[in-house]
Amino acid sequence: MAGDGIRALVFDVFGTVVDWRSSVIRELAAVGARLGVTADWGAFADAWRYEGYIGGIGRVNRGEWPFMTADEIHRRKLEELLPEYGLAGLTEEERADLNRVWHRLDPWPDSVPGLWRLKQRFVISTLSNGNVALLVNMAKRAGLPWDCVLGADVLGAFKPRAEAYLAGARLLGLQPGEVMLVAAHKADLRAAQAAGLRTAFVPRPAEAGPNVEVDLAPDPAFDLHAADFLELARLLGG
Amino acid sequence: MAGDGIRALVFDVFGTVVDWRSSVIRELAAVGARLGVTADWGAFADAWRYEGYIGGIGRVNRGEWPFMTADEIHRRKLEELLPEYGLAGLTEEERADLNRVWHRLDPWPDSVPGLWRLKQRFVISTLSNGNVALLVNMAKRAGLPWDCVLGADVLGAFKPRAEAYLAGARLLGLQPGEVMLVAAHKADLRAAQAAGLRTAFVPRPAEAGPNVEVDLAPDPAFDLHAADFLELARLLGG
């Protein structure tokens, strides 16, 4: 069976488990409506995510920035984006709250029922570049039934560095080959595979905005390919 | 209300959430029965816990030993105790399995229903000297519904060092005063209080063996005193 020898499933979170883009756009639009500001909130969300978060992680991984949490990386970019989008008038309290929109992302429809099924047979944990507080608050609000919450602040490194994947296996008391990464992003899966983990590709065609091309094609290099977490549970015999 | 300002409850685990002594004695007796060995398994369990684990943590905290996980500390003492109790014949595989008895401890009867009630209102997390893998495996078997699993290997220090409590609050994104430690042991609670955490004393009179005197008296220095987790939930308005 496809799950033989696997003891834990570890999950990429942003994009794989939760729909960050719709959630962020919705909150930005609400803030804009309150202040009478209209703007391209999709472009704001994309810049926050790709230039801000993904770009910031790259800087940390290249040693250009010291280690900082996802919350701190998000906040840096938010300060840049607010004046560009007519939201310079937000108070400190409003900025801190808006930055926590990343703690309030909605799951994909299959995420919660799929995780409950997978949890019956495997240890399920996040393996995210988010920080633990962000991931715990997100899980609490969305009902994600993690057995363990691992983020970059306890892994000691950001993906795609091999240390992040290896720390995940070590903290779970497992060999890398007993752990399967579930992710919607091939670069994440390739790096996990290089570190010795098993891999399951669950593409999320609705994740990205219209300006981002996403590679959704199955890749035989990965151990499993599933359309969503419920299919993943079926493939794993759950 | 007693829970005002509190966002997370963090729990000591061994003794507070689970009945380590009965669980360990039961497995030792089963191993003994299989090998035809009779011995004072209560004394074995006590030596493993108090001299081995508690003593080992003291050595790490005094800098006499390098940092190591609870699993590693348990295994060191197990190797000493096996020949003393007539169990020198265990294979490596049997030793590794017996060492994992600490991953298979039974909860007190109120622990699971009490945690479910407390979880409705608060983030609930372990704040244990155990390692994450041990705590995750224990929770999975016993049905402990943690929102987050924090052990010494991610806290970076063993209790009662202040760093362990402060790392717990920091990883949860909270100020120390927004976090309440729930524990059956006054020394743990006093150290948490000195680090700025709130405290709830839940005495567990059945924890210790007959040779250990336990201080069960309420102490007005702590914020709350509850007979079990269900009373704690009532006191906290859950």
Side-chain angles (χ1 to χ4, degrees):
Chain A
M1 185 179 300
D4 281 356
I6 296 173
R7 305 280 302 279
L9 302 177
V10 298
F11 291 75
D12 173 62
V13 173
F14 298 115
T16 300
V17 179
V18 295
D19 174 10
W20 59 269
R21 193 168 189 273
S22 301
S23 305
V24 171
I25 290 173
R26 188 183 58 233
E27 289 213 23
L28 287 170
V31 170
R34 189 159 43 77
L35 300 182
V37 175
T38 53
D40 182 349
W41 304 120
F44 187 131
D46 290 343
W48 204 359
R49 171 76 184 164
Y50 295 109
E51 294 164 25
Y53 180 69
I54 305 292
I57 286 168
R59 289 190 183 90
V60 172
N61 277 348
R62 290 191 302 273
E64 297 164 22
W65 282 1
F67 183 83
M68 61 184 81
T69 64
D71 279 339
E72 291 166 327
I73 295 175
H74 283 140
R75 184 62 190 265
R76 277 197 183 210
K77 187 65 179 178
L78 179 63
E79 294 299 324
E80 271 181 48
L81 291 168
L82 289 176
E84 293 175 22
Y85 284 79
L87 298 178
L90 289 190
T91 65
E92 166 57 31
E93 193 179 343
E94 289 166 333
R95 286 162 195 244
D97 181 65
L98 180 55
N99 202 55
R100 281 193 298 270
V101 64
W102 299 95
H103 299 215
R104 294 188 292 262
L105 305 178
D106 290 334
W108 299 112
D110 57 285
S111 292
V112 171
L115 289 174
W116 275 110
R117 284 188 52 187
L118 293 162
K119 184 182 169 86
Q120 308 311 308
R121 181 147 175 237
F122 303 98
V123 168
I124 58 169
S125 175
T126 63
L127 189 82
S128 169
N129 282 339
N131 45 306
V132 169
L134 180 160
L135 297 164
V136 167
N137 292 339
M138 175 198 288
K140 193 89 177 159
R141 175 181 173 279
L144 304 168
W146 303 121
D147 293 310
C148 186
V149 175
L150 298 176
D153 46 351
V154 296
L155 296 167
F158 283 115
K159 300 184 293 180
R161 291 180 70 101
E163 302 97 291
Y165 306 98
L166 297 174
R170 178 177 47 76
L171 287 170
L172 295 173
L174 299 174
Q175 297 299 314
E178 297 176 309
V179 179
M180 175 174 270
L181 178 72
V182 181
H185 311 118
K186 291 184 175 179
D188 194 4
L189 293 166
R190 283 191 206 100
Q193 197 166 50
L197 278 70
R198 315 272 287 274
T199 48
F201 179 44
V202 180
R204 295 299 195 180
E207 175 190 359
N211 304 319
V212 178
E213 188 152 345
V214 179
D215 178 2
L216 303 169
D219 184 330
F222 304 132
D223 297 298
L224 290 176
H225 178 277
D228 61 22
F229 290 179
L230 293 164
E231 186 184 355
L232 183 65
R234 285 192 294 276
L235 292 173
L236 288 168
Chain B
M1 188 180 296
D4 282 354
I6 297 173
R7 306 280 301 278
L9 301 176
V10 297
F11 291 76
D12 173 63
V13 172
F14 298 116
T16 300
V17 178
V18 294
D19 174 10
W20 58 268
R21 193 168 190 273
S22 301
S23 305
V24 171
I25 290 173
R26 186 184 58 232
E27 288 212 24
L28 288 170
V31 170
R34 187 159 44 77
L35 300 182
V37 176
T38 53
D40 181 349
W41 304 120
F44 188 130
D46 290 342
W48 205 358
R49 171 78 184 162
Y50 295 110
E51 293 164 23
Y53 180 69
I54 305 290
I57 285 168
R59 287 190 185 88
V60 172
N61 277 348
R62 290 191 301 274
E64 297 164 23
W65 281 0
F67 182 82
M68 61 184 80
T69 65
D71 280 339
E72 291 166 326
I73 295 175
H74 283 140
R75 183 62 190 264
R76 277 196 181 210
K77 187 66 179 180
L78 179 63
E79 294 299 324
E80 271 181 47
L81 291 168
L82 288 176
E84 293 176 24
Y85 284 80
L87 298 178
L90 290 190
T91 65
E92 165 57 30
E93 192 178 346
E94 290 166 333
R95 286 163 196 245
D97 181 65
L98 180 55
N99 202 55
R100 281 193 298 270
V101 64
W102 299 95
H103 299 212
R104 295 187 292 262
L105 305 178
D106 289 334
W108 299 111
D110 57 285
S111 292
V112 172
L115 288 174
W116 275 109
R117 285 188 52 189
L118 292 163
K119 184 183 170 83
Q120 307 312 308
R121 181 147 175 234
F122 302 98
V123 167
I124 59 170
S125 176
T126 64
L127 189 83
S128 169
N129 282 340
N131 45 308
V132 168
L134 181 159
L135 297 164
V136 166
N137 292 339
M138 174 197 289
K140 193 91 176 156
R141 175 182 175 279
L144 304 169
W146 303 120
D147 292 309
C148 185
V149 175
L150 298 176
D153 46 352
V154 296
L155 296 168
F158 283 116
K159 301 184 293 179
R161 291 180 69 101
E163 301 95 292
Y165 306 98
L166 296 174
R170 178 176 48 76
L171 287 169
L172 295 173
L174 299 174
Q175 296 300 314
E178 296 177 307
V179 179
M180 175 175 269
L181 178 72
V182 181
H185 311 118
K186 292 185 175 178
D188 195 2
L189 293 166
R190 283 190 206 101
Q193 197 166 50
L197 277 70
R198 315 273 288 273
T199 49
F201 179 45
V202 180
R204 295 297 196 180
E207 175 189 359
N211 304 320
V212 178
E213 187 151 346
V214 180
D215 178 1
L216 303 170
D219 185 327
F222 304 132
D223 296 298
L224 290 177
H225 178 278
D228 62 22
F229 290 179
L230 293 164
E231 186 184 357
L232 183 64
R234 285 192 294 275
L235 292 174
L236 288 168

